[in-house]
Amino acid sequence: MAHWVMARTTRSAWFVPFRMPEAEQIEAWFEERAAEGWAPGELRATSAIRFALHRDESAARYRYVVDQRPFPDAEGDIAIEAAGWEEIGQLGGRDVWRRPYEGERPGSFSTESLVERRWHLSRAFAMASGLAFVVAIAVFAVGTTAAGEDQSVVVMTAAIAVLVGVVCAAVAAGITRRTARQVALDDSRPRPG
């Protein structure tokens, strides 16, 4: 007579953010479950009360981060994803991210690194704006001095370059404003200790 043993593939986690109010506690708890072979499914609004852990037989170890940014935004999320993090949902109103790793446990992403990336992005758009304006001036200067009856192509090309420059400048200004607000907010928050 054969005995079939069915391994459990799902288990529930109850009231996690209430039992562990500190982000570091939740991160450590997720990482301990991952080391045991359990990974959370997608976290939703009700996950603060209950969510499911699924059996994950993969050999990957995960670094979890409970996002401490007071106002997460799309630009910051793009930068985090570009660094190899995967958002798995919300737990108690805070985004939870994970990243597989081998070897040494990676550090967390920080608001400072995201602000630095935004400054670089803002500078890149500002430089693209300047380049577009230079191209517009060059096209107009060369095109109007060149022999020819039809100047409409020159004017249209210069106008498009100016439009690209204005759009890039507006994007750079928007990123700069949001970044400055984030820096001001971070500076106004009380520091521990």
Side-chain angles (χ1 to χ4, degrees):
M1 182 170 185
H3 292 281
W4 296 92
V5 177
M6 295 189 106
R8 288 183 56 182
T9 58
T10 305
R11 61 192 259 200
S12 295
W14 292 88
F15 306 110
V16 170
F18 301 107
R19 292 185 291 128
M20 296 169 262
E22 298 297 320
E24 293 80 14
Q25 293 173 311
I26 297 171
E27 292 168 3
W29 184 85
F30 273 124
E31 291 174 27
E32 289 167 9
R33 299 298 75 76
E36 297 168 353
W38 295 96
E42 183 182 351
L43 300 174
R44 297 184 171 95
T46 58
S47 295
I49 298 169
R50 179 196 167 277
F51 63 89
L53 292 168
H54 303 283
R55 198 70 166 139
D56 183 3
E57 298 297 332
S58 71
R61 293 189 304 175
Y62 289 102
R63 166 68 161 107
Y64 284 86
V65 171
V66 177
D67 194 349
Q68 296 298 308
R69 293 178 296 161
F71 302 105
D73 60 21
E75 291 165 8
D77 289 354
I78 290 169
I80 293 168
E81 288 173 354
W85 294 88
E86 168 194 13
E87 184 176 7
I88 59 171
Q90 285 197 349
L91 187 62
R94 294 180 286 183
D95 293 336
V96 179
W97 297 81
R98 74 177 174 193
R99 178 177 164 193
Y101 69 95
E102 294 178 12
E104 193 173 323
R105 181 179 183 252
S108 171
F109 55 83
S110 67
T111 302
E112 290 80 18
S113 66
L114 294 174
V115 166
E116 186 176 319
R117 284 188 188 124
R118 282 196 203 146
W119 285 125
H120 289 300
L121 186 61
S122 176
R123 274 187 242 131
F125 273 104
M127 288 180 3
S129 174
L131 180 63
F133 286 123
V134 167
V135 166
I137 292 168
V139 164
F140 193 73
V142 170
T144 55
T145 59
E149 301 280 328
D150 188 14
Q151 295 293 319
S152 62
V153 174
V154 172
V155 172
M156 186 63 87
T157 304
I160 290 171
V162 167
L163 181 63
V164 168
V166 169
V167 169
C168 287
V171 170
I175 293 170
T176 301
R177 274 193 307 276
R178 283 191 294 276
T179 305
R181 276 196 301 257
Q182 181 68 47
V183 168
L185 179 66
D186 289 347
D187 290 345
S188 69
R189 285 190 303 188
R191 301 283 186 223

